[in-house]
Amino acid sequence: MKIFSSKDIKDLDAATCEAQGIDSLTLMERAANAVAKEIRTRFLPNRRIVVVAGPGNNGGDALAVSRILAEQGYSNIEVYLFNVRGQLSEECEAQKQKLLESGAKVQFNEITRSFIPPHLSVTDIIVDGLFGVGLREPLTEGFAAVANLINESGAFVISIDIPSGLAAEWNSNFLFRNMVHANLTLTFQFPKLSFFFNEHAHIIGDLMVLDIGLDRKALKSMRSEWLLIEGRTIYKLLHPRNPFSAKRDYGSVMIFAGSMGMMGAAVLCARSTLKCGAGLATVHAPRTGVTILQTAVPEAMFEPDRNERVISDMSLHHTHQAVAVGPGIGTNELTVNALESLLKTCKSPMVLDADALNCIVKRPALLSMLPPRTIITPHIGEFDRLFGDQPSSEARLKKAIEVAKHYEIVIVLKSHYTMIVRPSGNQIVYFNSTGNAGMATAGAGDVLTGVIAGFLAQGIQPENAAALGVFIHGRAGDIASEEIGEYGVIASDISDRLGRAIKDVIDRKV
């Protein structure tokens, strides 16, 4: 699913009207009916509904919703239309007239000067239609006061398309306290970019995407820099296996992982590499890990380091289709030296995670040695240690776009909506749609490293291997959560369900 900018959304609306032979008011009615339908499924007609409408098209949506609900039996609706500048958008003015002429039993209030706030209680439903995706500046003064009134009411707040005060893309200069804090956001056709940033979660509340029938041809042809990964997005990357194939057809992965006390990371990574279809996996680890690895993952080969406790050598003695480095390796100086030697010589696609990134933090010059299209998989803390502290996930994404291009690498920035940042191409950022809070558990990142490496070994290009790996990893976590519950999921549960997650994608079940 493409994620469009506010400007693109305006163009898509116009293209839809032209392609379908409708006017903008008809499209607005379609959106309002979708919102009203969702409200009807949740709340009985006797609930008090307070509709707050602004002077633009988002206000027009809200006015239409109030009229539709009144026509369908909701009898306790109050509407507050803020027209303090005496200028409504054409569509908002039309919806105002339709509401007044409809005879709907709605208490209508148009605010042109002073505003006497209504009493709001925790039993009320507030429909927020103050401002939509066209907002360019933060809410101030009177509108900020209205947002604060809504937030302090304790009522259930439903925002139409986007919470008022939140911009569709970037919000670095906006104040959270001057935004409407929704319990539920009913957005149209696709999520907005700002919905994917951690710091906005409490603004958006629960999110539901409503299909309002925008023109499919226009959606397909319009370019976007952002994409939400879904099963149908990555379905074509997976294929049924040739019955005459052999293990060598699915690639060999060299995994540099583990150290004294951290061999579990190597086990999780190796098992996941094989679970997602790689033909062969070899683990290079300190000698102390041989019994653990060979017992826990007998399917993997073991290559002992000359050192008993840490990895001191990352030489490649055979040809491998992918190399994974980092889970549990620590940051001993011998290990940092070994990583530097590997970066200078490795020709295979590579994924670096965990302590491999911490080794680079200790020796920042290693960043410039990363082979082009290397995949790195930092969580928020690792990213900030590598590239400097960032004040927000929005700022972190901007930085990731910058450094991915500069170093020509693929960055998998792990979070609720894990972001895959590509160094080039039409769509620079992929957001993942799978996963859940149960995956916030030790070792989940080691599983992901193995998954991505396994797909790399099967010949999938780094950008696609990263996107596919993150989606499958999250899907396996979702399956585990459904079966066990979020509290009970551990990393091996995710690894155990990778095969089923892949089958779900192939069978078009997600």
Side-chain angles (χ1 to χ4, degrees), residues 120-142:
L120 301 172
S121 75
V122 295
T123 61
D124 295 335
I125 301 159
I126 298 176
V127 177
D128 160 38
L130 270 179
F131 293 98
V133 296
L135 185 71
R136 294 290 179 270
E137 301 292 334
L139 298 187
T140 57
E141 299 177 345

Side-chain angles (χ1 to χ4, degrees), residues 282-298:
T282 302
V283 177
H284 181 105
R287 290 182 177 274
T288 188
V290 61
T291 302
I292 297 170
L293 201 289
Q294 296 276 257
T295 303
V297 197

Side-chain angles (χ1 to χ4, degrees), residues 438-491:
M439 299 175 72
T441 185
D446 304 321
V447 173
L448 177 61
T449 301
V451 173
I452 295 174
F455 287 132
L456 280 175
Q458 294 172 69
I460 299 175
Q461 295 300 306
E463 294 89 344
N464 291 335
L468 177 59
V470 168
F471 184 90
I472 293 295
H473 178 255
R475 176 58 185 163
D478 288 339
I479 295 169
S481 178
E482 289 166 9
E483 295 177 3
I484 302 167
E486 288 185 351
Y487 279 77
V489 174
I490 58 175

Side-chain angles (χ1 to χ4, degrees), residues 220-238:
K220 186 175 181 180
S221 62
M222 185 170 288
R223 293 176 57 185
S224 172
E225 292 184 356
W226 314 304
L227 183 76
L228 180 65
I229 307 170
E230 300 173 294
R232 62 185 178 181
T233 311
I234 46 87
Y235 165 76
K236 293 180 181 179
L237 298 175
L238 292 169

Side-chain angles (χ1 to χ4, degrees), residues 373-376 404 408-412 420-423 462-463 466:
R373 300 171 77 199
T374 292
I375 301 169
I376 67 171
E408 294 184 70
I409 58 175
V410 179
I411 300 176
V412 176
I420 298 93
V421 184
R422 299 149 49 101
E463 294 89 344

Side-chain angles (χ1 to χ4, degrees), residues 126-128 130 139 144 146-160 162-166 174-185 199-206:
I126 298 176
V127 177
D128 160 38
L130 270 179
L139 298 187
V146 174
N148 288 323
L149 173 69
I150 293 171
N151 296 338
E152 293 168 3
S153 69
F156 189 92
V157 180
I158 301 172
S159 286
I160 298 176
I162 191 170
S164 294
L166 180 69
F174 288 47
L175 297 175
F176 293 156
R177 68 172 179 269
N178 291 342
M179 299 176 182
V180 171
H181 294 197
N183 298 98
L184 172 67
T185 297
E199 58 268 18
H200 298 157
H202 70 292
I203 303 292
I204 298 158
D206 293 331

Side-chain angles (χ1 to χ4, degrees), residues 156-388:
F156 189 92
V157 180
I158 301 172
S159 286
I160 298 176
D161 203 21
I162 191 170
S164 294
L166 180 69
E169 288 89 48
W170 311 110
N171 287 268
S172 58
N173 297 321
F174 288 47
L175 297 175
F176 293 156
R177 68 172 179 269
N178 291 342
M179 299 176 182
V180 171
H181 294 197
N183 298 98
L184 172 67
T185 297
L186 300 175
T187 199
F188 301 137
Q189 205 70 48
F190 34 72
K192 300 355 178 209
L193 178 65
S194 59
F195 293 0
F196 295 95
F197 300 129
N198 295 356
E199 58 268 18
H200 298 157
H202 70 292
I203 303 292
I204 298 158
D206 293 331
L207 176 66
M208 177 169 284
V209 179
L210 305 179
D211 188 342
I212 60 169
L214 294 186
D215 184 64
R216 299 296 175 184
K217 186 176 179 181
L219 288 169
K220 186 175 181 180
S221 62
M222 185 170 288
R223 293 176 57 185
S224 172
E225 292 184 356
W226 314 304
L227 183 76
L228 180 65
I229 307 170
E230 300 173 294
R232 62 185 178 181
T233 311
I234 46 87
Y235 165 76
K236 293 180 181 179
L237 298 175
L238 292 169
H239 308 282
R241 294 198 159 191
N242 185 337
F244 291 94
S245 59
K247 61 187 176 185
R248 292 285 176 185
D249 296 322
Y250 302 111
S252 171
V253 181
M254 171 56 78
I255 301 168
F256 294 100
S259 60
M260 177 68 79
M262 293 291 289
M263 284 306 300
V267 168
L268 290 166
C269 185
R271 289 184 75 244
S272 302
T273 296
L274 294 166
K275 283 276 189 179
C276 70
L280 295 160
T282 302
V283 177
H284 181 105
R287 290 182 177 274
T288 188
V290 61
T291 302
I292 297 170
L293 201 289
Q294 296 276 257
T295 303
V297 197
E299 301 89 348
M301 292 174 283
F302 186 83
E303 183 181 279
D305 195 273
R306 59 178 174 265
N307 193 289
E308 189 74 21
R309 301 175 65 87
V310 300
I311 294 177
S312 62
D313 178 24
M314 293 188 187
S315 301
L316 295 173
H317 306 295
H318 304 283
T319 299
H320 300 278
Q321 283 65 54
V323 175
V325 190
I329 64 174
T331 57
N332 186 281
E333 195 69 14
L334 292 172
T335 306
V336 179
N337 292 337
L339 176 59
E340 180 171 346
S341 297
L342 176 67
L343 295 179
K344 289 177 179 178
T345 58
C346 184
K347 304 300 181 184
S348 302
M350 189 181 307
V351 54
L352 303 181
D353 180 39
D355 281 335
L357 304 180
N358 292 326
C359 286
I360 294 174
V361 171
K362 291 188 69 174
R363 196 173 296 176
L366 298 184
L367 266 176
S368 61
M369 299 180 189
L370 297 178
R373 300 171 77 199
T374 292
I375 301 169
I376 67 171
T377 62
H379 57 56
I380 290 170
E382 290 164 344
F383 183 90
D384 285 7
R385 287 195 289 274
L386 277 169
F387 303 112

Side-chain angles (χ1 to χ4, degrees), residues 170 193 197 225-226 376 383 387 390 393-413 419-431:
W170 311 110
L193 178 65
F197 300 129
E225 292 184 356
W226 314 304
I376 67 171
F383 183 90
F387 303 112
Q390 305 300 319
S393 55
E394 175 184 303
R396 197 168 289 109
L397 175 59
K398 289 181 177 180
K399 185 67 175 180
I401 294 171
E402 174 192 326
V403 297
K405 183 176 181 179
H406 178 77
Y407 292 108
E408 294 184 70
I409 58 175
V410 179
I411 300 176
V412 176
L413 185 53
M419 306 171 191
I420 298 93
V421 184
R422 299 149 49 101
S424 59
N426 293 335
Q427 286 160 331
I428 300 298
V429 182
Y430 290 175
F431 294 90

